[in-house]
């Protein structure tokens, strides 16, 4: 197993529900190391840039409206096998299909408003971390 970094976002619905602490508690209890963190309120253009890979999907307009509808917390996490482990902790995209104990099962309210983002592969993690954080903001 390799030491990996992954990008996570507590989406506007998570910040609105006051579960920032619950999410960070879950990261800490599973020994993810937070190596960068900030709060942002994205513009529509910034949300579209982040989710550019989904630009042809029918939910792209709604997703990017949602992502710029309120404050978000963005973090880079470091751990062994971090990308897959974070995806497991998040649960399925659709909370109706998420396993008990996952963050989406606990807090998500719909397939769109599913409280958290996590990178899905090493290449996307590298792009997503560099989208939000400069070198000096990552405390390795
Ligand atoms: P992921 O966040 O589990 O990786 P993706 O397929 O990458 O899921 O989709 C990105 C985000 O787009 C999801 O987290 C969710 O907020 C939204 N989304 C995905 N599928 C749908 C859909 O069918 N309808 C509405 N929103 C969706
Ligand atoms: Mg994804």
């Amino acid at each position: 197993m390799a030491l990996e970094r992954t990008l996570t976002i507590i989406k506007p619905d998570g910040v609105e529900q006051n579960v920032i602490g619950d999410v960070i508690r879950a990261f800490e209890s599973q020994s993810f190391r937070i190596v960068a963190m900030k709060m942002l309120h994205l513009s529509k253009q910034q949300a579209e840039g982040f989710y550019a890979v989904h630009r042809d999907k029918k939910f792209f307009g709604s997703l990017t409206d949602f992502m710029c509808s309120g404050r978000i917390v963005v973090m880079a996490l470091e751990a062994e096998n971090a990308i897959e482990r974070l995806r497991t902790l998040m649960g399925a995209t659709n909370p109706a299909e998420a396993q008990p104990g996952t963050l989406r099962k606990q807090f998500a309210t719909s397939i769109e408003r599913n409280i958290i983002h996590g990178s899905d592969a090493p290449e996307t993690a590298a792009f997503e971390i560099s989208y939000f954080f400069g070198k000096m903001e990552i405390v390795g």
Side-chain angles (χ1 to χ4, degrees), residues 65-109:
D65 280 347
F66 164 54
M67 289 301 292
C68 66
S69 68
R71 293 168 297 149
I72 62 172
V73 176
V74 188
M75 284 170 266
L77 305 177
E78 188 176 82
E80 291 289 321
N81 203 18
I83 295 169
E84 188 187 326
R85 286 185 50 228
L86 174 63
R87 300 285 309 188
T88 302
L89 175 60
M90 287 161 53
T93 307
N94 184 350
E97 294 164 8
Q99 295 296 311
T102 62
L103 293 168
R104 284 170 165 169
K105 182 71 174 183
Q106 279 179 270
F107 301 121
T109 53

Side-chain angles (χ1 to χ4, degrees), residues 4-131:
E4 286 179 334
R5 287 180 178 173
T6 190
L7 189 281
T8 188
I9 303 176
I10 305 175
K11 295 181 178 183
D13 57 332
V15 174
E16 197 58 40
Q17 279 182 72
N18 291 328
V19 298
I20 296 171
D22 297 76
V23 173
I24 291 177
R25 166 56 55 215
F27 294 159
E28 290 184 330
S29 66
Q30 295 204 8
S31 299
F32 287 96
R33 183 156 177 265
I34 300 168
V35 296
M37 174 160 63
K38 62 180 149 193
M39 178 172 273
L40 297 170
H41 189 151
L42 297 181
S43 66
K44 177 78 169 171
Q45 195 179 16
Q46 289 168 335
E48 288 173 348
F50 178 72
Y51 273 124
V53 64
H54 291 309
R55 65 183 166 270
D56 296 329
K57 306 267 172 63
K58 63 181 186 315
F59 58 80
F60 183 67
S62 175
L63 169 63
T64 51
D65 280 347
F66 164 54
M67 289 301 292
C68 66
S69 68
R71 293 168 297 149
I72 62 172
V73 176
V74 188
M75 284 170 266
L77 305 177
E78 188 176 82
E80 291 289 321
N81 203 18
I83 295 169
E84 188 187 326
R85 286 185 50 228
L86 174 63
R87 300 285 309 188
T88 302
L89 175 60
M90 287 161 53
T93 307
N94 184 350
E97 294 164 8
Q99 295 296 311
T102 62
L103 293 168
R104 284 170 165 169
K105 182 71 174 183
Q106 279 179 270
F107 301 121
T109 53
S110 75
I111 192 168
E112 179 175 271
R113 300 174 71 85
N114 60 8
I115 80 125
I116 188 165
H117 168 85
S119 308
D120 62 6
E123 305 71 41
T124 45
F127 164 75
E128 290 173 1
I129 291 169
S130 68
Y131 192 80

